Amino acid sequence: MARFRKKIAIDNKLASGFDPVTQADKAAEAAIRKYLTSNFPDHGIIGEEEDDINPDAEFCWIIDPIDGTRAFISGLPGWGTLIGLFHNGIPVAGVMHQPFTGEKYFTTGKEAVLEHAGKTEILRTSPQTQLSGAIMMSTAPELFTGRDAAEFNALTSKVRLVRYGFDCYAYAMVAAGHIEIVMENGLKAFDIAALIPIIERAGGVVTDWQGNSAASGGQVLACANPALHRLALAAIENA
Amino acid sequence: MARFRKKIAIDNKLASGFDPVTQADKAAEAAIRKYLTSNFPDHGIIGEEEDDINPDAEFCWIIDPIDGTRAFISGLPGWGTLIGLFHNGIPVAGVMHQPFTGEKYFTTGKEAVLEHAGKTEILRTSPQTQLSGAIMMSTAPELFTGRDAAEFNALTSKVRLVRYGFDCYAYAMVAAGHIEIVMENGLKAFDIAALIPIIERAGGVVTDWQGNSAASGGQVLACANPALHRLALAAIENA
């Protein structure tokens, strides 16, 4: 937060485009890694900005220090810090923290909760089971080309409303019951691992576009409930 | 705010699509109108949800109670309450208030300011004068079709980064110096009138796509400074 909305250096990780990384990303990941290695020396760590440590450990942490660096450098509150925990490769706990708005969406057990403004509330996904009543989000339409675009458009054509521009914050809105669907592709494991258990514990379903585990990233489909998820998968399959 | 992230009725204003309006929009505008008519009985009022009152008065208020109702019903903090003041048809003062984040961007005189978390800071737009270094935003790419799309894409192809999904909040980011360009079309006067003086007092320029007044809405181009505005207008003209 000390670097949010301040003039900071922005490096580009991508030769053929613009994939920004800032000192805020690196410093946040270093701080999280320092805490984890001190407190859980036997655990593995996978993070966006540094090399993996013991990624096949029974317990492995998976970190995206700033998910949504493009939002971060634009002054927008759509980014978040993601920390997930794998147990034998299964995402079992996670947190999405948005320090500007002061929201912390997380799960460590049977329920997912939001801590905000001194209150804690249990999260429940939307009961909407029809695509025609669903609000859908995705980070940006340019991420979909070719066959991916056809499958994305097959779903957007069936929903009530499509919104763009929020990274991990969109998944938090699924968990909290405000929107029903997020569809994205090209994700890394650290973009989604922390969010899977939060949405699942709130009643939702997160898979890839074929209905398999999304824990390793790639094509991701998050839905508010199993009935809506089945309809969304069918729309994609019939694209 | 009492209705944000709560289960509320959503009406559709558009027969051929989805243009949501909620009790939150109507109640907020009614509260603002009540205050204005009590305190400034000679002034005019133009608002999104009710009929115009004396719109040709020397002083006329222009209200969008929730700019970004789609964001509001999606639980997202990209919406805001807009109140502008025209003097003889010229926008001279305005406020953009985002009550969830607690941010108030406004101007009543020579400078534009942000009140947030108990602090007041003077706003200054970005000094970036090159399109290749600029961050550009727009609410949604679907808003541009035909010739409009060609002109929009002519500008997006020249900038560093394009982001979608924030309504009035994007203009506040121009005023605050975090992004450099907003390009939109199909705006109503109440979508932009309050934002024009905020951006102008911070050092920016807001016009239509031909460089004329944007106070009545339509095609809007907001830029961080006059040099960048000239380059953006040229890119649109050469599309």
Side-chain angles (χ1 to χ4, degrees), chain B residues 90-109:
Chain B
I90 306 291
V92 293
V95 61
M96 185 291 243
H97 183 220
Q98 212 312 308
F100 179 73
T101 62
E103 293 166 277
K104 191 162 69 176
Y105 297 83
F106 68 99
T107 182
T108 57

Side-chain angles (χ1 to χ4, degrees), chain A residues 5 7 70-76, chain B residues 124-128 133-138 160-164 166-183 199 204 222-225 228:
Chain A
R5 297 185 173 182
K7 297 294 168 211
R70 290 172 179 78
F72 184 92
I73 64 172
S74 303
L76 301 166
Chain B
R124 296 267 182 259
T125 58
S126 165
Q128 175 60 253
I135 300 176
M136 173 172 168
M137 291 188 68
S138 193
R160 186 172 64 159
L161 176 63
V162 181
R163 299 284 302 177
Y164 300 105
F166 287 79
D167 300 273
C168 55
Y169 206 94
Y171 295 90
M173 294 300 98
V174 174
H178 306 307
I179 71 166
E180 282 80 17
I181 300 173
V182 179
M183 183 173 179
I199 291 175
C223 294
N225 53 68
L228 194 67

Side-chain angles (χ1 to χ4, degrees), chain B residues 174-205:
Chain B
V174 174
H178 306 307
I179 71 166
E180 282 80 17
I181 300 173
V182 179
M183 183 173 179
E184 299 195 296
N185 66 1
L187 297 194
K188 301 290 176 55
F190 47 72
D191 292 323
I192 191 65
L195 299 162
I196 293 173
I198 301 173
I199 291 175
E200 287 179 345
R201 303 297 186 278
V205 181

Side-chain angles (χ1 to χ4, degrees), chain B residues 20-64:
Chain B
V21 62
T22 72
Q23 196 56 39
D25 299 78
K26 294 171 183 169
E29 182 160 327
I32 296 164
R33 281 176 179 258
K34 185 176 177 186
Y35 178 88
L36 293 174
T37 51
S38 299
N39 288 274
F40 309 104
D42 298 337
H43 292 188
I45 299 180
I46 298 170
E48 179 166 18
E49 310 300 342
E50 298 179 35
D51 291 340
D52 294 351
I53 298 172
N54 199 13
D56 298 320
E58 179 184 2
F59 287 99
C60 184
W61 300 89
I62 182 157
I63 306 164
D64 192 349

